[in-house]
Structure formats: structure tokens, C-alpha cells
Amino acid sequence: METPVAYLNLGTSLIALGRCQEAASVLREGTKLDGAGLRDRAAHENARISALLQLGNLYADQGKLQRALAVYREALHTLPERYPPQVSTTSLHRIIYIEFLRFTWLGLANDLV
């Protein structure tokens, strides 16, 4: 059975190897897994959100800020109640705000509206 943790780990490794396009595909696939039949549903959901955050970070590092913001928003909207406190809703709002500031600084804020 496939789990998002495996996709998250593979995606992270691919990023470290500089294979970013492949990493983005792997991370996105990991976010699509539904977790049917898994015993630890909370761990599954946490890994899905972590994959989204990693994907958002990858896009932000590549300067693909619109994609990064879209992925961060997706993470924010799918955040389970039991998600670890180190990445709370407040933290995700902060990430989105920082990315918005980067847009503004680059003169791209009008593209968001």
C-alpha cells in the first residue's frame, strides 16, 4: 500500500539531488493518496500536508510564487485538526503572507487579484 510518507521522503531526496521537476511530480502524487484502509489516518494526513508544504517551498525557491501560494492555500484548506502544533493554521497564514510580500516586492501582487 502506498503512503504519502514514502512520496514525501522520495520528493525530499530528489530535491537534494537537484531533480526538482521530478520531485514536484512525486510530491504532488503523494498528496493525492486517499489513505483508504490505513490504520493510522492521522499520520497519513500529516504526511499529505507535509508534502504540500514541501512542494510549496520548492516552488517558492524556484521563484514560482503563484504556484507556491496556490499550494500553501491548498495546505491551509485541507489542514486536519490534529496536525502537529509546529505547523498550525497561524504558521500557514504566515507563510502565505511572506509569499505575498515577495510578490509585492517583485511587483507581481496585481497578478494575485
Side-chain angles (χ1 to χ4, degrees):
M1 183 172 293
E2 296 176 333
T3 66
V5 173
Y7 284 81
L8 176 61
N9 291 338
L10 178 58
T12 302
S13 296
L14 289 168
I15 291 169
L17 293 171
R19 296 165 55 183
C20 296
Q21 185 174 9
E22 194 175 349
S25 295
V26 167
L27 290 168
R28 179 49 76 185
E29 282 302 310
T31 68
K32 294 178 183 176
L33 300 174
D34 70 0
L38 291 179
R39 281 186 275 169
D40 192 352
R41 187 75 178 171
H44 172 83
E45 291 301 322
N46 290 346
R48 283 186 63 243
I49 297 300
S50 294
L52 284 169
L53 294 175
Q54 186 69 39
L55 182 60
N57 292 342
L58 173 62
Y59 287 147
D61 290 345
Q62 293 177 329
K64 299 175 181 177
L65 300 180
Q66 288 180 329
R67 283 187 182 180
L69 280 172
V71 172
Y72 291 144
R73 284 186 188 123
E74 183 180 346
L76 181 63
H77 292 297
T78 59
L79 188 68
E81 290 180 21
R82 296 179 300 242
Y83 198 74
Q86 65 267 27
V87 182
S88 64
T89 303
T90 303
S91 297
L92 286 173
H93 278 111
R94 189 174 304 125
I95 290 169
I96 291 171
Y97 178 70
I98 289 168
E99 293 305 320
F100 179 79
L101 290 178
R102 286 170 73 176
F103 263 109
T104 304
W105 183 71
L106 293 172
L108 301 173
N110 289 335
D111 294 342
L112 293 176
V113 184

